Amino acid sequence: MTQTGAVRQQSRHAALGLTDRQVIEMYETMMRARRFDERCLLLQRAGKVNFHISGIGQEPSQVAMAFAMDFEKDWFLPYYRDYAFVLTVGMTLKELFLSLFAKAEDPNSAGRQMPGHFGCKRLRIVTGSSPVTTQVPHAVGFAYAAKLRGESSVAYVSFGEGSSNQGDFHEGCNFAGVHKLPVIFVCENNGYAISVPLSKQTAGRISDRAIGYGFPGVRVDGNDPLEVYRVMKEAHERALNGEGPTLIEVMSYRLSPHSTSDNDLAYRTKEEVEAHRKNDGIPAFRNYLTEAGLWNEERENELQARIRKELDEAQAYAERAPFQSVEDAFRYVYAEEPSSGEGR
Amino acid sequence: MTQTGAVRQQSRHAALGLTDRQVIEMYETMMRARRFDERCLLLQRAGKVNFHISGIGQEPSQVAMAFAMDFEKDWFLPYYRDYAFVLTVGMTLKELFLSLFAKAEDPNSAGRQMPGHFGCKRLRIVTGSSPVTTQVPHAVGFAYAAKLRGESSVAYVSFGEGSSNQGDFHEGCNFAGVHKLPVIFVCENNGYAISVPLSKQTAGRISDRAIGYGFPGVRVDGNDPLEVYRVMKEAHERALNGEGPTLIEVMSYRLSPHSTSDNDLAYRTKEEVEAHRKNDGIPAFRNYLTEAGLWNEERENELQARIRKELDEAQAYAERAPFQSVEDAFRYVYAEEPSSGEGR
Amino acid sequence: MPVIEYIEAIRSAMKEEMERDSRVFVLGEDVGLKGGVFTTTKGLQEQFGELRALDTPLSESAIAGVAIGAAMAGLRPIAEMQYSDFMFPATNQIISEAAKIRYRSNNDWDCPVVIRAPIGGGVFGGLYHSQCPESVFFGTPGLKILAPATAYDAKGLLISAIRDPDPVLFFEHKKCYRLISDEVPEGEYTVPIGKSRVMREGDDITVIGYSLPLHFAMEAAAELAREEGVEAHILDLRTLQPLDREGILEAASRTGKVLIVHEDNKTGGIGAEVAAIIAEELLYDLDAPIRRLCGPDVPAMPINPPGEKHFMLNKEKLKTAMLELARY
Amino acid sequence: MPVIEYIEAIRSAMKEEMERDSRVFVLGEDVGLKGGVFTTTKGLQEQFGELRALDTPLSESAIAGVAIGAAMAGLRPIAEMQYSDFMFPATNQIISEAAKIRYRSNNDWDCPVVIRAPIGGGVFGGLYHSQCPESVFFGTPGLKILAPATAYDAKGLLISAIRDPDPVLFFEHKKCYRLISDEVPEGEYTVPIGKSRVMREGDDITVIGYSLPLHFAMEAAAELAREEGVEAHILDLRTLQPLDREGILEAASRTGKVLIVHEDNKTGGIGAEVAAIIAEELLYDLDAPIRRLCGPDVPAMPINPPGEKHFMLNKEKLKTAMLELARY
Ligand SMILES: Cc1ncc(C[n+]2csc(CCOP(=O)(O)OP(=O)(O)O)c2C)c(N)n1
Ligand SMILES: Cc1ncc(C[n+]2csc(CCOP(=O)(O)OP(=O)(O)O)c2C)c(N)n1
Ligand SMILES: [Mg+2]
Ligand SMILES: [Mg+2]
């Protein structure tokens, strides 16, 4: 974007300290996550994989949140819909497909865990599991480790709004509140926990729960990535300044069924889903970029072609890749070599 | 109390709908609980019993809360310091001593559980355990049962402020909030969880947690039993009207050590304790009654003598009573007779 | 008698008990409007309304805890844990509360709750949708634990569980839901808690187990009879707590050669207790060491197909172990 | 060598490891300023500050979960559960998380956490301050479980646990804290995880067990040797997970008569697995059925003194069982 006249107002993203390049990258990553996700749904319907759990609708906020983090120092404890988040912090499409096809080379679990169960030390992504919300106290533990060592590191942890009703949410938040730990709790409120709508999960607002733990809670529109970025950046700064945790409730809508095993029309209507599809943050962000003079149809076509190629290559690689050998299937129950036990 | 002149202001308790008789009974019950508790401490120091856990300092609010309940219809899930509460709903000193001495006739557990672990179906007191906060979801279950059956019944459940940091607090409150159940959550905030002060338990206010569950939370001075009564009565009415739960945080101070096994001077000073002793709600309530013309020294002396006699008799009975026989010690792991399984 | 699926047996047990007894209700995640992620509770909300087929918040400790409270209040709750892998947040409520309510109150209070949970693997569920949690709860007196292998037992035992005055964990194998169908009477019936059942009679070897792997054992036994003339005696424990001591001893002494089988991992599993019971009562009647064929001592099964297959028991593994024992 | 108390052995193991390795820290309820309800962590906050001897909120799932997170981050947390009875709220963190972190990440992540918890009764603690929770965790691969009986082992095993790269549950018997004292070297030493220890040699009967009841067995053995000429061979398992198979088989075959003893209730306890191991390996070397002397299958012990005494094992009960076995 060229700013010719001095009267020209600063763009929203520039005001937030985001460069043009960055917002373009944000858009591209959302789109990459979206197309990856759609491909997974397709592969499952085609019978090529057994299972996929989709993040469609939540990508704009996930990318924005990741952009507010420090990839060299922070720790990431994403939940199972955070494809766009992990793509932003550096996981590759090839790695995601390796996980989808449950292949040995999958860095997340060597094809042991379901897709969407992220973990990759190289990328500072902490291994996650299926029982929801267990990662919340873990993130607090990472934040505590940072405090104990005097390191400038922030822990990001996400979970659904249904999952925020687990005891571990409460215990983890309260612990972090007492010790003013550098952790950001992100509730990705997509309106449903499988079939159970928000109104049957809680009568309160998730963001308000922070009050009871003595730190700020913020609700933000997940379809507005720039606002999500702003809120996250603020939380990140609070964390680094020793001001403690923040709870962020990102409002979105789960456009896909819960997972490929779910028939969502048993509990919601097509019309409801279609109504929410209109609020999709990705086209809105494309419009923003277009209006800012940073995007056009040509670039869009180029991007789509590029992503398609990336997907095709990554998928082909993962499809061909071998499963973990059965000889290795039972390894790593315990450490194979005793650690030296050396202190430091 | 005689109200002679029309100009004479209505007393606080009359304004709340409490009769003179009732406030006198309230006072007598607080005092009975206090003297019982002191006797237990004495017996433990004398080596006559192994263990006592004291409620000294929390009696005024406990009595006031019980007075707001319906003994015929409500359900009570008190925690281990609620001696004054259970005395008010009908447990006798004899029964409490039987529990202290762990005798067979103890209605709470036949001397199986520690003292302070209440339970007595006759009095609608639900059996409790030592792991803190498990009773909170139970109370919600009682409230749910009332709703399902269409009964006008409210569940009372209490717990300490430390215990409010357990996952079960969160899960229980949230469940009750969603279904607008007739339950009153009472946090007896006495400043400490064993050695850990409130500031290390939470950075928030316990009462504020209700906001996140969509129902009211109230903080009240536990040394002001009339105000506690007012707040409880209101919560009770809300519950009966189908308006759902209330969280009440009763502020007090734990004047005794955590239990007879605890040396509290390892983590607080004598001075701190003495400073709080000045706020003791019992003498303040006696003053209130005196000023209202309902109490005098003569009545006080009579009461003390009466309580002493009650304590002596009850203690003597319990001391002499037999332990549960070892033949019975392992009974009731399961039902001894299969239930008929009859529906209704 | 009509042949129905294992899942239908469970569904109809709940439906019929709810019709019969207004105290019975179900609660859990997605059990209401959706009818359960496996459709086990399908139709219950339509028939009995929201209050008796309740979609709860996502919080297993509350599901168990509220059910326990409601049970103490006189209702007969059936709490569903969506997968048994997800019941561990409720461990404290189950072990510290449900199991001890009668004992600690000296019989003043009781806790007639049923907690249903789908166990086991073979459905490409990976680490956390495939586990067998039996060993975690087995050592806790005060609980009863059931694990049916057939549709007949699933229905009859679930009805018994609902009517039982004590807390019952009901472990249904999710792989059995549609794989297993058998004859189930139309009318009401119960299967007694605490009684094992001889699934097959034979004089050469005894197989003792529960749940899914028994079907592998039955197939293997049929082949071994045909191919090798080996006749296996197969005992379905059905109830894991309390174990049917007499049934176990009778089955073991019948052949003197015992193979214990379960999908839960070997170390610390139910099979250890069964072996210990036999070793303390029947030592001199045994003609071979007591063997156990169980899941490997590995945290949980991988989702990738070769890994899952490697982990699971199957007919071939059973057949090999049974033949080896017969030849001992 | 100085003779110190079991509790002092535990305290000094933590202190010395904290001096040696800045990654080590303790957290739990009342472990800081108060130094623990049993004084196990006394002095640590003075010496190492609040950050390394941390008083946590009253929430066991967070204590375990935060410790697990910190362990994954590279620290070496020692989480205290005030009583093992109160560790059940942390079950999900222990079983679903700690035990599976290495396996599920294919060795990318690890979880070197130690969770200490006082077990056992005999202290008039009643139902919920006396339990033995071993059976709940024993069947979960990925965990290591230690249960020392002596001060020497308590210190050496705790040091090994802290240095171990995997999650370790460390069960200390609260009755041993001050009852048991023995020789402990001044300097640093470790006791290997997974190795049992012969406490006493003998050729008539074998007693296999762990924790407090072994002391009753030792006393009983001394009396039996003197009074009856019966020489008992006594094996302390020390590590419950992984069990020392070779050690068990060697001890069992030495006399051919095995009594297994533990305070945790019998059904589904560690003793079942020990019996099963012997029954699958040594059947023909046994001269008597394998016996188990354990806590009764009752939810937990009563607080009233006759009830508690009736529940607990003691020297007399051991002696009777040992003599009976010797005479078999
Ligand atoms: C402890 C636990 N209970 C149940 C489940 C099964 N389950 C998986 S996802 C899910 C719903 C989660 O809803 P929410 O937290 O809102 O996240 P969303 O899937 O909507 O993103 C449930 C019930 C689980 N994984 N873990
Ligand atoms: C789950 C659990 N953890 C630990 C304990 C040990 N414990 C008993 S009382 C207590 C402190 C409780 O503090 P609070 O909730 O404030 O109640 P108070 O005793 O102050 O009335 C602790 C840690 C327990 N009983 N249960
Ligand atoms: Mg959701
Ligand atoms: Mg307190």
Side-chain angles (χ1 to χ4, degrees), chain D residues 153-278:
Chain D
D153 285 343
K155 180 163 181 180
L157 280 173
L158 184 49
I159 294 175
S160 294
I162 295 168
R163 299 182 190 179
D164 196 87
D166 287 304
V168 180
L169 306 185
F170 189 86
F171 289 135
E172 43 204 58
H173 200 295
K174 65 179 85 69
K175 182 82 181 172
C176 290
Y177 279 152
R178 305 195 182 278
L179 186 70
I180 302 304
S181 294
D182 49 81
E183 288 192 348
V184 170
E186 296 268 11
E188 175 192 327
Y189 70 99
T190 58
V191 169
I193 293 176
K195 287 266 162 281
S196 60
R197 184 176 77 96
V198 177
M199 282 184 107
R200 184 185 199 284
E201 297 205 60
D203 290 311
D204 297 321
I205 58 167
T206 298
V207 178
I208 302 178
Y210 61 92
S211 201
L212 177 68
L214 288 173
H215 298 287
F216 305 141
M218 290 293 283
E219 292 170 34
E223 294 189 11
L224 286 173
R226 212 167 46 232
E227 297 165 10
E228 311 280 345
V230 168
E231 292 296 343
H233 189 78
I234 301 185
L235 187 76
D236 181 357
L237 292 167
R238 305 195 293 189
T239 294
L240 308 183
Q241 175 72 282
L243 280 173
D244 180 4
R245 241 184 134 78
E246 288 69 42
I248 291 168
L249 296 175
E250 202 180 302
S253 63
R254 167 111 179 215
T255 71
K257 290 180 169 183
V258 179
L259 175 70
I260 301 164
V261 56
H262 54 64
E263 187 177 326
D264 195 3
N265 63 288
K266 182 176 177 181
T267 299
I270 312 290
E273 182 65 34
V274 175
I277 288 173
I278 297 171

Side-chain angles (χ1 to χ4, degrees), chain A residues 98-212:
Chain A
L98 284 162
S99 164
L100 181 75
F101 285 101
K103 296 303 178 68
E105 219 187 311
D106 158 32
N108 297 284
S109 75
R112 290 174 172 189
Q113 290 218 75
M114 283 184 158
H117 289 53
F118 305 112
C120 182
K121 209 174 222 172
R122 177 186 105 237
L123 299 171
R124 306 177 72 83
I125 299 173
V126 180
T127 176
S129 63
S130 307
V132 298
T133 331
T134 51
Q135 71 274 24
V136 171
H138 299 175
V140 179
F142 275 85
Y144 192 78
K147 181 170 173 179
L148 198 149
R149 291 174 176 144
E151 288 171 359
S152 281
S153 172
V154 180
Y156 159 94
V157 60
S158 63
F159 44 86
E161 82 292 346
S163 303
S164 76
N165 299 313
Q166 289 280 344
D168 271 358
F169 166 85
H170 177 67
E171 299 196 12
C173 286
N174 185 60
F175 194 112
V178 172
H179 296 287
K180 284 194 173 294
L181 299 179
V183 50
I184 307 176
F185 301 105
V186 174
C187 177
E188 301 194 22
N189 186 340
N190 61 10
Y192 283 92
I194 308 190
S195 70
V196 182
L198 182 61
S199 62
K200 298 243 158 101
Q201 284 290 344
T202 185
R205 284 162 65 114
I206 310 297
S207 56
D208 282 347
R209 292 182 179 173
I211 306 168

Side-chain angles (χ1 to χ4, degrees), chain C residues 166-234:
Chain C
D166 287 304
V168 180
L169 305 185
F170 189 85
F171 290 135
E172 41 202 62
H173 200 296
K174 65 179 84 70
K175 181 82 182 175
C176 290
Y177 278 153
R178 304 193 184 279
L179 186 71
I180 303 304
S181 294
D182 49 81
E183 289 193 346
V184 171
E186 297 266 11
E188 174 193 329
Y189 70 99
T190 59
V191 169
I193 293 175
K195 287 265 162 284
S196 60
R197 185 176 76 95
V198 176
M199 282 185 108
R200 184 186 199 284
E201 297 205 59
D203 290 312
D204 297 321
I205 58 167
T206 299
V207 178
I208 302 178
Y210 60 93
S211 201
L212 177 68
L214 288 172
H215 297 288
F216 305 141
M218 289 294 282
E219 291 170 34
E223 293 188 12
L224 286 174
R226 212 167 44 234
E227 297 164 11
E228 311 279 344
V230 168
E231 292 295 344
H233 190 77
I234 301 185

